[in-house]
PDB file of all heavy atoms in Angstrom:
ATOM      1  N   SER D 164      -5.914  18.395  16.997  1.00 89.00           N
ATOM      2  CA  SER D 164      -5.745  18.783  18.409  1.00 89.00           C
ATOM      3  C   SER D 164      -4.996  17.687  19.186  1.00 89.00           C
ATOM      4  O   SER D 164      -4.402  17.937  20.222  1.00 89.00           O
ATOM      5  CB  SER D 164      -7.099  19.065  19.062  1.00 89.00           C
ATOM      6  OG  SER D 164      -7.832  17.855  19.169  1.00 89.00           O
ATOM      7  N   PHE D 165      -4.991  16.484  18.643  1.00 89.00           N
ATOM      8  CA  PHE D 165      -4.208  15.380  19.214  1.00 89.00           C
ATOM      9  C   PHE D 165      -2.722  15.755  19.290  1.00 89.00           C
ATOM     10  O   PHE D 165      -2.015  15.385  20.219  1.00 89.00           O
ATOM     11  CB  PHE D 165      -4.389  14.129  18.345  1.00 89.00           C
ATOM     12  CG  PHE D 165      -3.393  13.033  18.621  1.00 89.00           C
ATOM     13  CD1 PHE D 165      -3.490  12.253  19.765  1.00 89.00           C
ATOM     14  CD2 PHE D 165      -2.344  12.784  17.737  1.00 89.00           C
ATOM     15  CE1 PHE D 165      -2.562  11.251  20.020  1.00 89.00           C
ATOM     16  CE2 PHE D 165      -1.419  11.783  17.994  1.00 89.00           C
ATOM     17  CZ  PHE D 165      -1.533  11.012  19.135  1.00 89.00           C
ATOM     18  N   PHE D 166      -2.239  16.531  18.319  1.00 84.00           N
ATOM     19  CA  PHE D 166      -0.816  16.902  18.284  1.00 84.00           C
ATOM     20  C   PHE D 166      -0.519  18.198  19.026  1.00 84.00           C
ATOM     21  O   PHE D 166       0.512  18.337  19.638  1.00 84.00           O
ATOM     22  CB  PHE D 166      -0.341  17.082  16.831  1.00 84.00           C
ATOM     23  CG  PHE D 166      -0.400  15.823  16.018  1.00 84.00           C
ATOM     24  CD1 PHE D 166      -1.482  15.563  15.190  1.00 84.00           C
ATOM     25  CD2 PHE D 166       0.622  14.884  16.090  1.00 84.00           C
ATOM     26  CE1 PHE D 166      -1.543  14.394  14.437  1.00 84.00           C
ATOM     27  CE2 PHE D 166       0.574  13.712  15.351  1.00 84.00           C
ATOM     28  CZ  PHE D 166      -0.507  13.466  14.527  1.00 84.00           C
ATOM     29  N   HIS D 167      -1.424  19.177  18.921  1.00 70.00           N
ATOM     30  CA  HIS D 167      -1.082  20.536  19.380  1.00 70.00           C
ATOM     31  C   HIS D 167      -1.890  21.022  20.570  1.00 70.00           C
ATOM     32  O   HIS D 167      -1.688  22.134  21.026  1.00 70.00           O
ATOM     33  CB  HIS D 167      -1.293  21.546  18.242  1.00 70.00           C
ATOM     34  CG  HIS D 167      -0.373  21.334  17.088  1.00 70.00           C
ATOM     35  ND1 HIS D 167       0.963  21.025  17.251  1.00 70.00           N
ATOM     36  CD2 HIS D 167      -0.593  21.373  15.749  1.00 70.00           C
ATOM     37  CE1 HIS D 167       1.510  20.897  16.053  1.00 70.00           C
ATOM     38  NE2 HIS D 167       0.593  21.104  15.131  1.00 70.00           N
ATOM     39  N   GLY D 168      -2.845  20.225  21.051  1.00 72.00           N
ATOM     40  CA  GLY D 168      -3.688  20.723  22.136  1.00 72.00           C
ATOM     41  C   GLY D 168      -4.840  21.565  21.601  1.00 72.00           C
ATOM     42  O   GLY D 168      -5.968  21.367  21.953  1.00 72.00           O
ATOM     43  N   LYS D 169      -4.540  22.478  20.685  1.00 75.00           N
ATOM     44  CA  LYS D 169      -5.621  23.259  20.045  1.00 75.00           C
ATOM     45  C   LYS D 169      -5.173  23.532  18.617  1.00 75.00           C
ATOM     46  O   LYS D 169      -4.037  23.920  18.385  1.00 75.00           O
ATOM     47  CB  LYS D 169      -5.836  24.572  20.807  1.00 75.00           C
ATOM     48  CG  LYS D 169      -7.048  25.371  20.329  1.00 75.00           C
ATOM     49  CD  LYS D 169      -7.218  26.617  21.177  1.00 75.00           C
ATOM     50  CE  LYS D 169      -8.475  27.423  20.899  1.00 75.00           C
ATOM     51  NZ  LYS D 169      -9.059  27.367  19.582  1.00 75.00           N
ATOM     52  N   SER D 170      -6.068  23.284  17.679  1.00 80.00           N
ATOM     53  CA  SER D 170      -5.678  23.464  16.286  1.00 80.00           C
ATOM     54  C   SER D 170      -6.789  24.175  15.532  1.00 80.00           C
ATOM     55  O   SER D 170      -7.962  23.919  15.749  1.00 80.00           O
ATOM     56  CB  SER D 170      -5.419  22.099  15.647  1.00 80.00           C
ATOM     57  OG  SER D 170      -5.471  22.196  14.234  1.00 80.00           O
ATOM     58  N   SER D 171      -6.385  25.060  14.620  1.00 82.00           N
ATOM     59  CA  SER D 171      -7.382  25.766  13.799  1.00 82.00           C
ATOM     60  C   SER D 171      -7.905  24.859  12.691  1.00 82.00           C
ATOM     61  O   SER D 171      -8.933  25.121  12.091  1.00 82.00           O
ATOM     62  CB  SER D 171      -6.741  27.000  13.156  1.00 82.00           C
ATOM     63  OG  SER D 171      -5.788  26.590  12.186  1.00 82.00           O
ATOM     64  N   GLY D 172      -7.156  23.787  12.380  1.00 88.00           N
ATOM     65  CA  GLY D 172      -7.553  22.891  11.290  1.00 88.00           C
ATOM     66  C   GLY D 172      -7.125  23.381   9.918  1.00 88.00           C
ATOM     67  O   GLY D 172      -7.385  22.748   8.906  1.00 88.00           O
ATOM     68  N   LEU D 173      -6.436  24.518   9.875  1.00 88.00           N
ATOM     69  CA  LEU D 173      -6.059  25.096   8.572  1.00 88.00           C
ATOM     70  C   LEU D 173      -4.951  24.312   7.865  1.00 88.00           C
ATOM     71  O   LEU D 173      -4.979  24.166   6.648  1.00 88.00           O
ATOM     72  CB  LEU D 173      -5.598  26.539   8.738  1.00 88.00           C
ATOM     73  CG  LEU D 173      -6.722  27.565   8.770  1.00 88.00           C
ATOM     74  CD1 LEU D 173      -6.188  28.897   9.255  1.00 88.00           C
ATOM     75  CD2 LEU D 173      -7.362  27.712   7.402  1.00 88.00           C
ATOM     76  N   ASP D 174      -3.971  23.837   8.627  1.00 88.00           N
ATOM     77  CA  ASP D 174      -2.857  23.102   7.988  1.00 88.00           C
ATOM     78  C   ASP D 174      -3.368  21.862   7.249  1.00 88.00           C
ATOM     79  O   ASP D 174      -3.050  21.660   6.079  1.00 88.00           O
ATOM     80  CB  ASP D 174      -1.801  22.701   9.022  1.00 88.00           C
ATOM     81  CG  ASP D 174      -0.976  23.885   9.490  1.00 88.00           C
ATOM     82  OD1 ASP D 174      -1.295  25.015   9.091  1.00 88.00           O
ATOM     83  OD2 ASP D 174      -0.022  23.684  10.256  1.00 88.00           O
ATOM     84  N   PRO D 175      -4.174  21.011   7.927  1.00 92.00           N
ATOM     85  CA  PRO D 175      -4.673  19.834   7.212  1.00 92.00           C
ATOM     86  C   PRO D 175      -5.572  20.224   6.034  1.00 92.00           C
ATOM     87  O   PRO D 175      -5.553  19.570   4.992  1.00 92.00           O
ATOM     88  CB  PRO D 175      -5.485  19.071   8.266  1.00 92.00           C
ATOM     89  CG  PRO D 175      -5.080  19.617   9.581  1.00 92.00           C
ATOM     90  CD  PRO D 175      -4.568  21.003   9.349  1.00 92.00           C
ATOM     91  N   LEU D 176      -6.341  21.300   6.209  1.00 93.00           N
ATOM     92  CA  LEU D 176      -7.238  21.736   5.127  1.00 93.00           C
ATOM     93  C   LEU D 176      -6.426  22.113   3.895  1.00 93.00           C
ATOM     94  O   LEU D 176      -6.741  21.724   2.771  1.00 93.00           O
ATOM     95  CB  LEU D 176      -8.074  22.940   5.603  1.00 93.00           C
ATOM     96  CG  LEU D 176      -9.128  23.445   4.622  1.00 93.00           C
ATOM     97  CD1 LEU D 176     -10.214  22.402   4.378  1.00 93.00           C
ATOM     98  CD2 LEU D 176      -9.772  24.740   5.119  1.00 93.00           C
ATOM     99  N   ASN D 177      -5.347  22.845   4.121  1.00 90.00           N
ATOM    100  CA  ASN D 177      -4.489  23.252   3.014  1.00 90.00           C
ATOM    101  C   ASN D 177      -3.871  22.044   2.326  1.00 90.00           C
ATOM    102  O   ASN D 177      -3.817  21.941   1.105  1.00 90.00           O
ATOM    103  CB  ASN D 177      -3.378  24.162   3.558  1.00 90.00           C
ATOM    104  CG  ASN D 177      -2.781  25.006   2.455  1.00 90.00           C
ATOM    105  OD1 ASN D 177      -2.206  24.480   1.520  1.00 90.00           O
ATOM    106  ND2 ASN D 177      -2.925  26.306   2.565  1.00 90.00           N
ATOM    107  N   SER D 178      -3.412  21.116   3.150  1.00 93.00           N
ATOM    108  CA  SER D 178      -2.768  19.915   2.621  1.00 93.00           C
ATOM    109  C   SER D 178      -3.776  19.048   1.857  1.00 93.00           C
ATOM    110  O   SER D 178      -3.481  18.500   0.801  1.00 93.00           O
ATOM    111  CB  SER D 178      -2.159  19.124   3.786  1.00 93.00           C
ATOM    112  OG  SER D 178      -1.380  18.076   3.301  1.00 93.00           O
ATOM    113  N   TYR D 179      -4.979  18.945   2.400  1.00 94.00           N
ATOM    114  CA  TYR D 179      -6.021  18.101   1.797  1.00 94.00           C
ATOM    115  C   TYR D 179      -6.462  18.660   0.441  1.00 94.00           C
ATOM    116  O   TYR D 179      -6.612  17.931  -0.525  1.00 94.00           O
ATOM    117  CB  TYR D 179      -7.214  18.018   2.755  1.00 94.00           C
ATOM    118  CG  TYR D 179      -8.318  17.084   2.306  1.00 94.00           C
ATOM    119  CD1 TYR D 179      -8.091  15.709   2.165  1.00 94.00           C
ATOM    120  CD2 TYR D 179      -9.595  17.560   2.042  1.00 94.00           C
ATOM    121  CE1 TYR D 179      -9.098  14.851   1.758  1.00 94.00           C
ATOM    122  CE2 TYR D 179     -10.617  16.712   1.641  1.00 94.00           C
ATOM    123  CZ  TYR D 179     -10.360  15.352   1.493  1.00 94.00           C
ATOM    124  OH  TYR D 179     -11.369  14.504   1.096  1.00 94.00           O
ATOM    125  N   LEU D 180      -6.655  19.968   0.380  1.00 92.00           N
ATOM    126  CA  LEU D 180      -7.151  20.586  -0.853  1.00 92.00           C
ATOM    127  C   LEU D 180      -6.036  20.901  -1.835  1.00 92.00           C
ATOM    128  O   LEU D 180      -6.259  21.027  -3.033  1.00 92.00           O
ATOM    129  CB  LEU D 180      -7.895  21.890  -0.532  1.00 92.00           C
ATOM    130  CG  LEU D 180      -9.098  21.789   0.392  1.00 92.00           C
ATOM    131  CD1 LEU D 180      -9.668  23.168   0.659  1.00 92.00           C
ATOM    132  CD2 LEU D 180     -10.169  20.881  -0.202  1.00 92.00           C
ATOM    133  N   SER D 181      -4.822  21.086  -1.316  1.00 90.00           N
ATOM    134  CA  SER D 181      -3.671  21.499  -2.119  1.00 90.00           C
ATOM    135  C   SER D 181      -3.975  22.765  -2.931  1.00 90.00           C
ATOM    136  O   SER D 181      -3.643  22.874  -4.104  1.00 90.00           O
ATOM    137  CB  SER D 181      -3.232  20.367  -3.047  1.00 90.00           C
ATOM    138  OG  SER D 181      -1.829  20.319  -3.054  1.00 90.00           O
ATOM    139  N   LEU D 182      -4.652  23.698  -2.256  1.00 88.00           N
ATOM    140  CA  LEU D 182      -4.986  24.986  -2.874  1.00 88.00           C
ATOM    141  C   LEU D 182      -4.580  26.106  -1.928  1.00 88.00           C
ATOM    142  O   LEU D 182      -4.622  25.914  -0.712  1.00 88.00           O
ATOM    143  CB  LEU D 182      -6.509  25.120  -3.035  1.00 88.00           C
ATOM    144  CG  LEU D 182      -7.253  24.233  -4.023  1.00 88.00           C
ATOM    145  CD1 LEU D 182      -8.752  24.346  -3.768  1.00 88.00           C
ATOM    146  CD2 LEU D 182      -6.928  24.664  -5.442  1.00 88.00           C
ATOM    147  N   PRO D 183      -4.238  27.286  -2.454  1.00 91.00           N
ATOM    148  CA  PRO D 183      -4.051  28.421  -1.546  1.00 91.00           C
ATOM    149  C   PRO D 183      -5.377  28.728  -0.852  1.00 91.00           C
ATOM    150  O   PRO D 183      -6.442  28.662  -1.484  1.00 91.00           O
ATOM    151  CB  PRO D 183      -3.665  29.570  -2.478  1.00 91.00           C
ATOM    152  CG  PRO D 183      -3.199  28.918  -3.733  1.00 91.00           C
ATOM    153  CD  PRO D 183      -3.968  27.650  -3.844  1.00 91.00           C
ATOM    154  N   ILE D 184      -5.321  29.059   0.432  1.00 93.00           N
ATOM    155  CA  ILE D 184      -6.545  29.357   1.173  1.00 93.00           C
ATOM    156  C   ILE D 184      -6.446  30.752   1.775  1.00 93.00           C
ATOM    157  O   ILE D 184      -5.464  31.084   2.437  1.00 93.00           O
ATOM    158  CB  ILE D 184      -6.772  28.315   2.281  1.00 93.00           C
ATOM    159  CG1 ILE D 184      -7.091  26.960   1.648  1.00 93.00           C
ATOM    160  CG2 ILE D 184      -7.938  28.723   3.193  1.00 93.00           C
ATOM    161  CD1 ILE D 184      -7.129  25.820   2.626  1.00 93.00           C
TER     162      ILE D 184
END
Side-chain angles (χ1 to χ4, degrees):
S164 68
F165 166 74
F166 296 97
H167 295 318
K169 187 178 186 332
S170 161
S171 69
L173 276 167
D174 287 5
L176 184 65
N177 201 297
S178 188
Y179 185 63
L180 301 177
S181 221
L182 292 168
I184 292 171

